Amino acid sequence: MKSEPNRQVRAIGSISCQSRRLVGVIAAAVLTACGGSDKDADGPPTQQEVVVTGCNGTVTYVEAEGAFANGSPWSMRRPTGWNGLLINDLDYVPAKDGARSCYWLQRGYALSGTGRNPQRNFNYDPDREQQELISVIDMFNARYGKPTKVIQYGHSGGGFVALNFAERYPEKVDGVVVGCAHEPVPLMNMMLDGWFVLKTLIASELQVVGFSDLASVADQSAKWRAALTLAQQSQEGRARIALAAAVGQWPVWSNATRAQPDPFDLGALQSAVFDTVLLNAAQPGGQSRFMFEHAGTSPAVRQLSWNAGIDYSQLLARAEPAVGRLVLSLYSTNGLNLQADLATLRDATRVQAEPAASAFWNGPGRTVHGTPKIPSLRMHTTGDNVVPPNIIDSYVQKMQANGGDVSLYRTTIVDRAGHCTFEPSESAAAIETVLTRINTGVWPDVSPAGMNARAKALIPASVPAFVPYEPARANRPQNNPAGGL
């Protein structure tokens, strides 16, 4: 449904840009879009507003766009016949002409949000992203009027932002849809566990933490791919690759070009595990580890991960059953010594988290505590190798530890390979589910059958794939080395 919009310009004389007083970080591009300079920011000058016919001619809307002073882009669209609802998204800008956005515009939703900062690898701070998204909501209110309801939607880092909105800003949004969300510290620890096994038992000379520059990530990625491909050719290597996936709680199936393996077909299972590990080798140590280690514009590595005190025998015992069986079978049937490998892991030098990193990541907006204050729907894909789906249990454990309101929180799972590979109908069903909870105070049916029926009713030609799924208990839910949740 992606199309090139047809744009017309009309003058509007009654829209105020006073929101610039509220968001002092807005760049000159924003001031230009609002008309005039910072000196006349309080005035309501006549503005040139873009009227667009888009989405293959199916919808018209007005839009505004610009950038914050640090380079993060922002955009907003209000459709003709606006229904009063606003969907806000960290990743709206790159997705604004996609099928999902077009569908929502056609239904009368206004859309707003940002794009990832162009220097995000070097200055990542989810708290700043949240402040920018709040500024976008404020700008939308000033330009188009206050929405009747606002939903914060997001994938990956955007999902993490949505979790934070649910805990920190119930006065700004009415509900959240949390897609394939990471939690930086728990995610990097579950990635470290698998990579620690691979480094210790397969390629001790290669790197999995402490990346000083992006070039070193690419260099180590190439070397890891070669080492893993070689290891896959031996019985011992295949067993150790499976062990890494088991203790790291990485998903078995993540390669969309292959069918899901039968969990009792050990050959197919190990091949699928290798696919996952090889995909993960695109960024050794975990997706975006360099970004996390240099978050907050730190030029030096600040290590947020640790495995001191971690018993890898215990992690193996708690592995997903099919992967645990695979490991035991590969070691026993090939005459390999699992206990010797576990002893090697036990005695290997461990990784310590740095106090400065722990302090940063435990700051407001950079971690979550399982205390949502508004309706929150969490969704994930089963074959997500970047953010393994059992990370959702990290949040459940936080809710249990911190007395989170479970009546506000629900989860739903899509059976699909890859990271955040949701179809438009699945995203649409998630939004409608949260809206029903907001408007009625009662969750509608969030079973797989209920979600699939809702998605099909919204987009009849779709093939939604919500499935039953019970994640394994997450091994590493802690926000800091002291064990705090």
Side-chain angles (χ1 to χ4, degrees), residues 423-448:
E423 295 292 333
S425 69
E426 293 155 356
S427 297
I431 289 288
E432 297 302 320
T433 298
V434 171
L435 274 174
T436 298
R437 175 61 175 80
I438 292 168
N439 291 330
T440 68
V442 178
W443 286 103
D445 183 3
V446 295
S447 70

Side-chain angles (χ1 to χ4, degrees), residues 17 82 116 136 144 166 197 210 212 252 351 353 472:
C17 284
W82 180 35
R116 305 289 177 103
V136 172
Y144 299 126
V197 173
S212 59
V252 169
V351 176

Side-chain angles (χ1 to χ4, degrees), residues 104-394:
W104 282 329
L105 286 171
Q106 290 162 358
R107 286 183 64 88
Y109 293 100
L111 305 176
S112 67
T114 60
R116 305 289 177 103
N117 186 277
Q119 293 296 310
R120 193 170 185 258
N121 277 330
F122 308 95
N123 65 8
Y124 179 52
D125 187 348
D127 179 57
R128 187 196 65 243
E129 292 177 339
Q130 292 156 49
Q131 304 315 312
E132 290 174 350
L133 285 162
I134 288 172
S135 295
V136 172
I137 293 172
D138 290 342
M139 287 189 287
F140 183 96
N141 294 349
R143 182 177 286 270
Y144 299 126
K146 185 175 176 62
T148 56
K149 296 287 186 298
V150 180
I151 293 180
Q152 185 66 37
Y153 180 95
H155 290 173
S156 196
F160 182 60
V161 161
L163 280 177
N164 273 282
F165 263 84
E167 295 189 0
R168 301 180 73 199
Y169 302 113
E171 76 284 0
K172 286 295 184 181
V173 302
D174 300 280
V176 301
V177 173
V178 182
C180 51
H182 70 230
E183 289 182 48
V185 174
L187 174 61
M188 286 298 97
N189 275 336
M190 63 193 301
M191 284 292 143
L192 172 63
D193 287 334
W195 280 107
F196 184 76
V197 173
L198 296 172
K199 176 178 174 61
T200 304
L201 300 180
I202 291 178
S204 60
E205 75 281 6
L206 298 184
Q207 189 175 359
V208 297
V209 297
F211 292 96
S212 59
D213 58 73
L214 278 175
S216 67
V217 177
D219 175 69
Q220 290 294 300
S221 173
K223 291 176 179 177
W224 267 113
R225 286 177 180 273
L228 292 168
T229 300
L230 179 63
Q232 178 68 4
Q233 297 173 20
S234 70
Q235 294 175 347
E236 185 176 65
R238 289 192 291 272
R240 288 169 171 174
I241 287 170
L243 177 61
V247 302
Q249 299 188 304
W250 300 352
V252 169
W253 174 62
S254 59
N255 187 342
T257 68
R258 300 196 188 193
Q260 289 195 56
D262 181 332
F264 294 97
D265 182 339
L266 297 183
L269 200 63
Q270 198 283 325
S271 180
V273 166
F274 173 68
D275 285 345
T276 292
V277 173
L278 202 62
L279 284 172
N280 283 353
Q283 294 197 43
Q287 178 78 20
S288 300
R289 176 168 285 278
F290 176 90
M291 182 183 79
F292 292 128
E293 290 182 342
H294 294 269
T297 68
S298 175
V301 171
R302 291 193 299 194
Q303 190 51 250
L304 69 162
S305 294
W306 69 91
N307 64 352
I310 296 299
D311 184 337
Y312 284 95
S313 298
Q314 289 184 358
L315 297 196
L316 176 59
R318 297 200 295 264
E320 196 275 328
V323 188
R325 288 195 303 268
L326 174 65
V327 171
L328 295 179
S329 175
L330 289 173
Y331 272 91
S332 62
T333 60
N334 294 305
L336 305 174
N337 192 333
L338 175 59
Q339 294 307 313
D341 276 356
L342 291 173
T344 299
L345 292 170
R346 181 196 63 213
D347 296 336
T349 302
R350 299 304 182 92
V351 176
Q352 303 281 351
E354 297 180 29
S358 296
F360 177 85
W361 287 109
N362 279 271
R366 299 167 186 149
T367 191
V368 287
H369 301 282
T371 55
K373 299 177 177 63
I374 52 177
S376 306
L377 181 66
R378 186 86 174 257
M379 65 178 183
H380 219 102
T381 50
T382 55
D384 189 341
N385 64 296
V386 172
V387 182
N390 72 303
I391 199 171
I392 62 179
D393 185 68
S394 291

